[in-house]
């Protein structure tokens, strides 16, 4: 059974939690969990924009390949980001 989805996918805490190998500690609040994440793999999620990751302050490696992203933006929070995988998107110009 196929389900077609047209529209923007929203990056939520639940989506981020499913897209990392790091596990939430028992009784850990969303803010603490997101703050300590270092790797998030949001590849092939039909994302149109980079957004919703601002609380991931320790992010060092971000996988965003095979989405619909047209601009590299909203990453100024990611001071520890060393690896950004963003191939196979709709990015035409990098400034």
């Amino acid at each position: 059974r196929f389900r077609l989805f047209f529209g923007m996918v929203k990056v939520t805490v639940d989506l981020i939690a499913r897209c990392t190998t790091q596990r939430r500690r028992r009784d850990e609040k969303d803010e603490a969990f997101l703050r300590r994440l270092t790797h998030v793999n949001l590849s092939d999620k039909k994302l149109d924009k980079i957004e919703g990751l601002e609380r991931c302050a320790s992010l060092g490696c971000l996988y965003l390949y095979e989405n619909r992203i047209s601009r590299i933006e909203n990453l100024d929070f990611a001071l520890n980001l060393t690896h950004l995988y963003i191939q196979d998107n709709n990015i035409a110009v990098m400034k």
Side-chain angles (χ1 to χ4, degrees), residues 11 19 26 29-30 40 43 53 59 67 73 76 81 83 87 91 93-94:
V11 177
C19 295
R26 188 162 38 185
K29 304 286 186 218
D30 288 347
V40 175
S43 59
L53 296 167
L59 197 59
N67 280 293
E73 60 186 348
D76 35 334
L81 190 66
H83 294 79
Q87 65 269 25
I91 299 167
V93 177
M94 290 182 61

Side-chain angles (χ1 to χ4, degrees), residues 49-67:
K49 297 174 79 172
I50 301 172
E51 62 184 356
L53 296 167
E54 301 81 18
R55 296 183 287 173
C56 301
S58 299
L59 197 59
C61 187
L62 179 58
Y63 298 87
L64 291 170
Y65 58 86
E66 296 178 1
N67 280 293

Side-chain angles (χ1 to χ4, degrees), residues 2 8 13 17 24 28 34 39 42 48 51 53-55 58 61-62 64 72-73 77-78 80 85 92:
F2 291 98
M8 194 166 70
V13 174
R24 187 186 300 249
E28 187 174 31
L34 294 174
H39 290 68
L42 292 169
D48 294 319
E51 62 184 356
L53 296 167
E54 301 81 18
R55 296 183 287 173
S58 299
C61 187
L62 179 58
L64 291 170
I72 299 174
E73 60 186 348
F77 72 92
N80 298 313
Y85 298 93

Side-chain angles (χ1 to χ4, degrees), residues 3 13 17-18 24-25 29 31 35 47 64 81-82:
R3 182 175 165 187
V13 174
R18 287 192 314 264
R24 187 186 300 249
R25 297 175 183 145
K29 304 286 186 218
E31 291 299 321
R35 193 171 32 253
L47 298 176
L64 291 170
L81 190 66
T82 58

